Amino acid sequence: MMTRRQAIKTTALASAALAVLPGAIAQTTNTAAPAAAAPTGPFTLPPLPYAYDALEPHIDAQTMQIHHDKHHAAYVANLNKAVAEIPYLRIITVEGLLQTLERTPENFRAAVRNNGGGHYNHSLFWQMMSKSGGGEPKAELAKAIETSFGNFAGFKTKFTDAATKVFGSGWAWLVLDGKELKIESLPNQDSPISPSLQPTEINDSMGKKLTTIHPSQPPLLGLDVWEHAYYLKYQNKRADYITAWWNVVNWDFVAERYAKSGS
Ligand code: MN
């Protein structure tokens, strides 16, 4: 349930958004409009930054095509459908939607969480891989990995373990937790960018709970271990997919994210 304060915030946000969006008001008040036409925006499927077969032989072209053109496209279409019902959500970025999930009206929250997460996570995922990927990170990111995990091999083992152990559908993530790197796994399309998913209790020295904060954990690297990401080529052998995936990790992109997130 929404608390009163959240409700006030939501209402204020809605009013502010609607005030600058006369078109959106017309849309909400016109309840007689047919709902048949599929909404085409505001979210769009970003093109793959390379050809479908660019990551062969590690990730096959057919998997990439279906994963991007069908699965990612479906998240985008369903997110557009969800926000079409709440016009003020249409002016918020996908990052913004995921960072303020607790303020999304309850009956739309699951749709925004799943499809917004799906859209955001996959938009990152394509960029986190490259034909010229693999190997090891360099410079500042390499140092940070050593600080947090001892060495690159230790990091790789721990991340692989997290990805292997995701039960059912989900992702393994390398995130920035304050100044430190951390590995975590999240179910479904939950994204580390949603602060409400990692509430942290702040206690006083006697262990009494003072408050709960929702730290933001920018995702640096993510691995999709939904079966749709590997089943055509690897069938049930998720471990083989994970082993192959290390050969296409785009460390330049991860390093860029690390540099931006840390500043
Ligand atoms: Mn996927």
Side-chain angles (χ1 to χ4, degrees):
M1 286 297 291
M2 237 188 222
T3 62
R4 188 166 170 274
R5 187 188 290 185
Q6 282 169 335
I8 291 168
K9 268 194 204 162
T10 305
T11 310
L13 186 55
S15 314
L18 290 175
V20 297
L21 266 190
I25 293 169
Q27 199 179 327
T28 28
T29 49
N30 187 4
T31 49
T40 52
F43 299 100
T44 53
L45 179 67
L48 260 192
Y50 35 70
Y52 296 123
D53 64 358
L55 308 178
E56 294 264 13
H58 310 293
I59 317 272
D60 61 291
Q62 195 188 8
T63 295
M64 289 303 291
Q65 186 167 7
I66 295 173
H67 200 173
H68 176 270
D69 295 5
K70 305 292 181 193
H71 290 279
H72 188 169
Y75 296 125
V76 173
N78 289 327
L79 179 61
N80 281 329
K81 257 183 233 164
V83 300
E85 311 261 357
I86 318 176
Y88 79 86
L89 291 181
R90 294 171 56 86
I91 60 164
I92 304 175
T93 61
V94 67
E95 290 89 342
L97 288 177
L98 295 172
Q99 285 170 325
T100 56
L101 274 180
E102 77 282 3
R103 277 187 256 157
T104 301
E106 224 171 331
N107 46 337
F108 294 102
R109 198 176 303 154
V112 170
R113 176 176 178 169
N114 293 331
N115 296 297
H119 176 36
Y120 177 74
N121 291 343
H122 286 85
S123 299
L124 283 178
F125 188 52
W126 312 132
Q127 300 175 79
M128 287 165 170
M129 299 184 288
S130 155
K131 189 183 183 60
S132 54
E136 297 189 13
K138 300 180 199 84
E140 293 305 310
L141 178 60
K143 272 186 223 160
I145 284 178
E146 276 169 32
T147 305
S148 294
F149 306 104
N151 53 40
F152 181 71
F155 156 73
K156 201 171 160 180
T157 303
K158 210 175 161 197
F159 189 95
T160 296
D161 192 51
T164 307
K165 286 181 178 162
V166 172
F167 183 75
S169 300
W171 293 66
W173 293 101
L174 172 68
V175 300
L176 193 60
D177 182 24
K179 294 275 170 201
E180 269 194 47
L181 298 180
K182 201 169 113 184
I183 291 167
E184 64 188 27
S185 57
L186 290 173
N188 306 315
Q189 294 299 350
D190 285 355
S191 184
I193 201 176
S194 292
S196 56
L197 299 176
Q198 292 106 25
T200 302
E201 279 191 11
I202 303 295
N203 300 317
D204 67 14
S205 57
M206 303 299 284
K208 185 172 173 279
K209 183 181 155 188
L210 294 174
T211 185
T212 302
I213 58 163
H214 302 281
S216 182
Q217 297 188 321
L220 303 180
L221 176 65
L223 173 54
D224 184 349
V225 292
W226 282 58
E227 283 185 347
H228 69 222
Y230 63 87
Y231 207 84
L232 286 178
K233 184 176 168 77
Y234 296 98
Q235 292 82 48
N236 59 318
K237 298 179 288 265
R238 185 193 283 182
D240 292 356
Y241 158 66
I242 297 170
T243 302
W245 174 78
W246 287 110
N247 294 304
V248 295
V249 173
N250 184 354
W251 287 113
D252 291 341
F253 181 73
V254 181
E256 212 178 283
R257 289 189 61 78
Y258 175 66
K260 277 186 201 157
S261 306
S263 57

